[in-house]
Amino acid sequence: MSEKRMLFTKDHEWVLVEGTIARIGITEYAQNELGDVVFVDLPTVGDTVEEGEGFAVVESVKAVSDVYAPVGGTVVKVNEELESSPELINESPFDQGWIAEIEIAEGTQLDDLMNAEEYKAFIKEA
Amino acid sequence: MTSKTGVPLLFEISSPGRRGYRLPELDVPEVPVDELIPTEYLRQQEAELPEVSELEVVRHFTQLSRLNHGVDVDFYPLGSCTMKYNPRVNEDMASLPGFTAIHPYQPEETVQGALELMYNLGTYLAELSGLHSATLQPAAGAHGELTGLWIIKAYHEANGEGHRNEIIVPDSAHGTNPASAMMANYKVVEVPSDERGGVDVAALRKLVGPKTAGLMLTNPNTLGLFDENICAIAEIVHEAGGLLYYDGANANALMGIVKPGHTGFDVVHYNLHKTFSTPHGGGGPGSGPIVVSEQLAPFLPWPVVAKEDGRYVLKRPEKSIGRVKSFYGHFSVLVRAYAYIRSHGAEGLRQVSEAAVVNANYLMHHLKSLYHLPYDRHCKHEFVLSGKLQKEQHGVRTLDIAKRLLDYGVHAPTIYFPLNVDEALMIEPTETETKETLDAFIAAMRRIAEEAENDPESLKSAPHYTPVRRLDEARAARQPILRWKKE
Amino acid sequence: MRYIPMTDQDREAMLASMGLSSTEELFADIPEHLRTAGGLDLPPALSEAELIRHMKALASKNTNLEDTISFMGGGAYDHLIPAIVKHLISRGEFLTAYTPYQAEISQGVLQSIFEYQTLIAELTGMEAANASMYDGATALAEAALMACNATRRNVVVLPDNLHPEWQEVCELYLKNQDVEIKYLPYLEGAGTIDHEALQSLDEKSIACVVVQQPNFFGLVEDVDPISEFVHSAGGLLVMAVDPISLGLLKSPGEYGADIVVGDGQSLGNTMSFGGPSLGFFATTGKLVRRMPGRIVGETVDADGRRGFVLTLQTREQHIRREKATSNICSNQALNALAAAIYLSVLGKEGFKEVAYHCLQKTAYLRRRLSEATPFKEKFTAPAFREFVVTGPVDWEAVNEALLKDGFLGGLPLKRFGMADAALFAVTEARTKDEIDRLVELLGGMS
């Protein structure tokens, strides 16, 4: 589990950066708030996304949640497993339930993101 | 047969060659089909309709009906839906051949009765709303909202103010309000509620401006509370150059007591299927006529019914926005609503609203010691409780309370709405229920409150006595099965 | 009052239990100056017997088509309706229920909608259908918007021979969403879409091309070339179909349509001066989640029994609010139920027969008119249940004269800009004798 190396947003997305690629998903806390995830509207490979832009949608039975891009860039890979098994987001939010990978745009700063400890403190307050 | 596996689908009892309804023998000389229509335009793949007898169809739908709750079956306190008794005589009237067997394009001379009915119904709605003229064309409340917003838009555009692109809606609004605003290409701006449950006037003041096209409001609002600041609200919006739209979902509270037009509204829609007792039919057809002020009348969709030299005619208003649907509206629903208004008269409609308000307050008063009441003041036709005590103290959610009510033979209230109340239960008894029914509901709610304390697990697994138990909605949405398929 | 059970004693007891002495106290929060002074100005209340007398008098001012023989169509049709339809939809459990939000006590409505969805999917040859929209015209407007969202394009191509009222409804819905409408002309002689005009369109911007089948003039379109064109352009094929014609004509699914809509009045619903009917709406599996309106799906309950629920609800207004696929919040459940009962009792063979009888009877009137009257058919393309007749007469005057003999003639197309033409419809409900008498009357009028 690479949770310790992950960075987090206030909207409960996580990012795992490997070189110029950022893998993105939603957190354990977020999946728990949503309940049974029934559908994930994935972005299209090749889409350009701005930081903070809603680039995917996660749906439970009675709620919809936008997933905001923690970093800007180009979508290079999406988790197609989620098309047939959206419940992976509930079962394994940090691992098998990843949503997409973005090639990070040049000059992107990751300073606004929280580390695991800061995020833990953040959700405690919420 | 109804069994523990439920009623089979008609497709599952289909038997090749079995027939129901039969047509008369074809009495014209036949021509080979390919001489009339080229073979390549003909269907190759058959539609798999069931092959069943007439009696099988009758039994099938009769059995299905018995799995269903309706106002005819028992109490239906579904908030904001006004599930009142649907008078049967109105059904008979709507079935008269003079109303059912008429074609929308018949010459006007041959439909004078229909046009007269529509003209008068429009007049009655104008009188109830305190506004000028009506269109009966919108098919439902949400459709009325959309029509009203299109009119507001056309009005601003005609005044050279097409830049007004924001519609303000309260956080307690029906979901259709923002969705309708979106359909009319408006930006939605949300105004919060104040501590008394009304629109936060100070916040509203900050939100209005040169971009404001209008405000959508229901009064009494979705909490069942009359917004005492309505005059101030209207003034703020009007001064900013916007118009006021009245969502009539809650009109059952105020007939003959307050005319929305007199409180500053410029457009009003009525849900005939709520206030005027036309049956909901399992989700429709509804009907959502709107009434507008004189300055907006030229923009109404066409055709409207006018009276000229004692004749009724269909006309196009001068600056009409166009048509919102085919023909003239849900005519046979209009017939029922007309009959309802004629059965009541002015005094009768006022009594309807008074009784609806007494019934709602009676329930609220006797339930507030059992469930949290977030806004403790006299309500109008409905009120909103919160299940938060049960949730906090016993882990029982509002959904569980709702499901348990089904075991007591009562339809659940509207739940988790409005959004500004945690664990909301929105209760609207209507005027057509007896005191005994209300007392039985109070007793059921008391027992459920006790169960939450003593036996929370049985609530969480409720309902226990309904035709089916709790259904797996996640499974339905993950792998949607939306139709039967031949194997 | 009629439907208020509250007695004076009830009211007093209820108020007393709340510590109140009058109903007025419950309205004390409404400022006096806002109250309706002097009551409403409405006609006096009628008893049931008085109401019936009054309503019958109003109804009798209308010429009804049970007593008059109709050859009028143009979007509302006099088809036969089996007796059981009215009986079954009048059952209180269906009639007086609301939207099936509490699935455990709404299986009747939910299962009947599931069956309706299946029937519509079968008729149209599509993968899935919703629980119905207001009518055919609004369903088409929503289909066009859905096509724009799905393709992220903003040009909708409508044919000139689409029902004029449907054109108007689409214009209103689309212009308010910044969608551009382009019109396709039809061929003067054939009356069907001019395929060559497709070539002048900018392919990259087309969200969808709409085809009405049969078109407003009752003529069968050649859809294959249009389907090929729009798909190679990356747009969607939207078909607006007459449901009865699907007992005979190639289904939209067979043409490769992406979205199919239509008006379901013909399926067991009375004409009722134009409403309520229902708009059916079907699409492919790929586009299901973009479909507007209510949808019912199959699932299981806590004991593993089959059951039905409203599903894919996150598309809808009560959850997604301003981001919903549409603002629609009701469906035409009772009309959809009528359609489901109608299609079930007609069945596989019966339904095909309705289409076959319409075709044969229409062909018979066409033949007889050309033999026995000087009127001509305006268009040459194959006709299904309707066709346009021309002749140098005032068709409104013709209709007035026909009415005296108990006939409602074809729809004069003057209101749609064709002064010399009328649109005649012949359903399975007409008899040879009625057709012969109409021809005889028309023969004497030219």
Side-chain angles (χ1 to χ4, degrees), chain B residues 215-267:
Chain B
L215 167 79
M216 299 179 86
L217 195 66
T218 174
N219 196 21
N221 65 17
T222 55
L223 297 164
L225 305 174
F226 186 83
D227 202 316
E228 307 126 307
N229 298 322
I230 183 61
C231 293
I233 293 167
E235 210 178 296
I236 292 167
V237 175
H238 283 151
E239 271 180 14
L243 297 175
L244 263 80
Y245 183 93
Y246 182 88
D247 172 345
N250 297 340
N252 207 44
L254 296 177
M255 285 189 289
I257 295 164
V258 175
K259 295 182 180 182
H262 289 176
T263 66
F265 286 97
D266 305 283
V267 187

Side-chain angles (χ1 to χ4, degrees), chain A residues 39 57 59-60 63-64 66, chain C residues 152 289 313-314 319-320 323:
Chain A
F39 181 65
V57 181
E59 299 186 5
S60 64
V64 186
D66 281 314
Chain C
R152 300 192 202 171
R289 286 179 192 269
Q313 291 191 74
T314 47
I319 292 173
R320 212 165 251 190
K323 286 184 181 168

Side-chain angles (χ1 to χ4, degrees), chain B residues 15 33 61 71 77 84 194 297 480:
Chain B
S15 181
V33 171
F61 287 101
V71 176
K84 60 170 77 178
D194 66 13

Side-chain angles (χ1 to χ4, degrees), chain C residues 344-416:
Chain C
S344 302
V345 77
L346 262 296
K348 199 177 195 171
E349 294 308 315
F351 186 67
K352 285 193 277 190
E353 276 175 24
V354 173
Y356 182 75
H357 285 208
C358 288
L359 178 76
Q360 291 294 346
K361 287 177 173 175
T362 303
Y364 179 67
L365 175 61
R366 290 167 58 200
R367 203 160 62 244
R368 293 288 300 130
L369 276 178
S370 71
E371 288 164 3
T373 76
F375 298 121
K376 301 232 170 329
E377 267 186 65
K378 188 171 173 73
F379 300 113
T380 57
F384 169 62
R385 178 193 47 190
E386 272 175 290
F387 61 103
V388 177
V389 178
T390 63
V393 288
D394 176 347
W395 287 100
E396 286 175 0
V398 166
N399 269 1
E400 264 176 53
L402 285 174
L403 275 166
K404 293 197 182 95
D405 289 297
F407 283 83
L408 179 64
L411 170 64
L413 294 181
K414 194 169 141 192
R415 65 164 80 205
F416 302 121

